[in-house]
Amino acid sequence: MNEDIWSSFSERVTYDGRFHATCEFAPLPDSAALALLNDRNVSVLTAVAALVEKRAETPEDDTTVTNELSRLDAKLNVLMEIVNRLLLPQADLPPRIALRFNASGAVLPWDGLPAVGQPVLLRIHFDVCRALPLELPGQRLAGPSDGRGFIGFQGLSEHVRDAIERLVFRHHRRQVAEARLAGRPMEGG
């Protein structure tokens, strides 16, 4: 099964970047805690998508008002969660690490990772929403042998997996668009 998870990860588009992130030993949460974690993760992913998404709508779009209200709702939810977390003592952000992830798993540096086979919790802090980490339970699995380790996610709901895939796809689409724009000659020059 471990090879299936690595294969699934390797065959999909990934989000590559440098994130404030930690990966620590943590037993897989029970079903009630996992349901709460999945709900929080959906909220974080919705907020990140709303905060990162650039407006590309036309005035003729009938769903413009609906989309804008959804974005405002997500932003308000983020602000409320930030206020809640600020009322509690909060540790500094972890250092940035190179991280590649999709809905199947993540590849990150070996340094400090638990041993292969151990259950872990990967926390990823996005710059647009640093106070709300994406918390992904999983297991340290065999993966690349180039100084990086592989975490296969476990217990993620279908909604979380879909939201991660949308985030990864949109990020990849933005990178492709930016690369195309960078490759075009400037007009008038």
Side-chain angles (χ1 to χ4, degrees), residues 15 31 40 45 58 63 84 91 128 137 140 143 161 182:
Y15 193 131
S31 60
R40 268 197 322 262
L45 289 163
T58 62
T63 61
N84 288 334
V128 296
R140 169 78 196 283
R161 289 185 183 280

Side-chain angles (χ1 to χ4, degrees), residues 85-96:
R85 290 194 183 209
L86 288 176
L87 295 174
L88 301 171
Q90 188 172 343
D92 294 332
L93 286 171
R96 285 190 185 271

Side-chain angles (χ1 to χ4, degrees), residues 12 20 37 58 65 77-78 82 98 111 121 123 154 180 188:
R12 294 178 176 200
H20 294 283
L37 186 66
T58 62
V65 173
N77 288 338
V78 168
I82 288 171
D111 296 339
L121 182 66
R123 286 187 182 93
Q154 295 179 334
R180 285 183 180 161

Side-chain angles (χ1 to χ4, degrees), residues 128-170:
V128 296
C129 189
R130 290 183 183 178
L132 300 173
L134 185 61
E135 298 177 311
L136 304 166
Q139 183 178 19
R140 169 78 196 283
L141 302 173
S145 58
D146 59 356
R148 298 177 297 157
F150 177 62
I151 305 300
F153 298 142
Q154 295 179 334
L156 300 184
S157 69
E158 200 60 37
H159 292 298
V160 172
R161 289 185 183 280
D162 289 345
I164 291 172
E165 287 299 324
R166 280 192 304 275
L167 178 72
V168 169
F169 175 75
R170 287 178 179 151

